[in-house]
Amino acid sequence: MREFDYDLDYKNLDLRAQPELYRVGRGEQGVLLVEPYKSEILTHWRFATPDIALESSEIIYQMFLDYLAADDFVGADMARKFIQMGYTRARRYANHKGGKKYKGPVPDDKKGQSGAHGREELPRQSEDPIKAESARIFKQKWDECRKNETYLKMKAAHRERYEEVK
């Protein structure tokens, strides 16, 4: 399996037209880069309260299903990543007031990539129950995505066709 390629010129790429360039990578890699999906999905991505998280997760999950129905694996995987990110960001805000998990800024050469990048992790605070509930809502949808048989078959086919190291 090939890693997500952060070196592509995502601002000028349409990965719906060029799905062969897409790499699933790990977790949420590339979620805020891959177009046109970022622009289609990001406007619906919210988690501030459980009601907002429920509406957001349902809209994005329906987009996930619609991408699958259109035989658009890249779109489905991007929707899955946004749902996963709804869970992880809500959990971060549940554990860290203001959502700041690490001390200091992201290094310039690591912007857009997840991880500590050598920064110290800040201590957890008492859990915010509102954000924890938002996280639970997104987690339920994320689990549905990961169990979807059509998605799993399309993911395996995409990896076999485009991502296997030859």
Side-chain angles (χ1 to χ4, degrees):
M1 176 185 74
R2 293 187 181 160
E3 295 291 321
F4 186 84
D5 186 353
Y6 283 101
D7 294 328
L8 294 177
D9 182 12
Y10 289 100
K11 289 179 182 176
N12 295 305
L13 284 176
D14 176 347
L15 287 172
R16 179 174 287 130
Q18 295 179 282
E20 70 278 3
L21 297 177
Y22 180 74
R23 301 294 175 263
V24 174
R26 290 190 194 109
E28 305 157 23
Q29 288 182 323
V31 70
L32 296 175
L33 295 174
V34 177
E35 292 288 5
Y37 308 103
K38 177 187 109 173
S39 295
E40 293 171 1
I41 303 167
L42 183 60
T43 59
H44 304 289
W45 183 73
R46 303 283 182 270
F47 60 88
T49 67
D51 287 342
I52 290 169
L54 182 62
E55 180 181 7
S56 175
S57 66
E58 288 177 349
I59 290 169
I60 296 171
Y61 184 71
Q62 185 58 56
M63 293 175 84
F64 169 82
L65 296 174
D66 292 345
Y67 289 128
L68 291 178
D71 199 30
D72 183 347
F73 169 72
V74 178
D77 197 51
M78 288 298 294
R80 187 266 311 157
K81 287 181 181 197
F82 270 95
I83 290 171
Q84 181 177 352
M85 188 169 67
Y87 166 71
T88 60
R89 293 310 181 278
R91 281 300 327 155
R92 178 179 291 179
Y93 278 79
N95 295 333
H96 302 278
K97 186 173 179 145
K100 190 170 178 178
K101 185 175 179 180
Y102 301 106
K103 187 175 184 177
V106 176
D108 287 338
D109 66 330
K110 300 296 182 184
K111 292 194 186 293
Q113 299 179 29
S114 61
H117 308 297
R119 296 174 295 157
E120 176 185 340
E121 187 168 334
L122 297 170
R124 286 186 177 194
Q125 299 167 339
S126 58
E127 184 176 84
D128 177 333
I130 292 171
K131 295 297 187 290
E133 178 60 16
S134 292
R136 187 197 63 74
I137 289 165
F138 271 100
K139 177 71 164 67
Q140 184 177 22
K141 289 296 184 195
W142 180 29
D143 289 343
E144 288 181 45
C145 292
R146 293 187 301 173
K147 293 176 187 173
N148 183 290
E149 290 295 326
T150 302
Y151 169 76
L152 293 171
K153 288 176 185 171
M154 289 174 77
K155 181 179 177 181
H158 183 87
R159 282 192 160 154
E160 182 178 323
R161 183 170 184 189
Y162 300 123
E163 297 189 38
E164 297 233 341
V165 179
K166 303 210 183 269

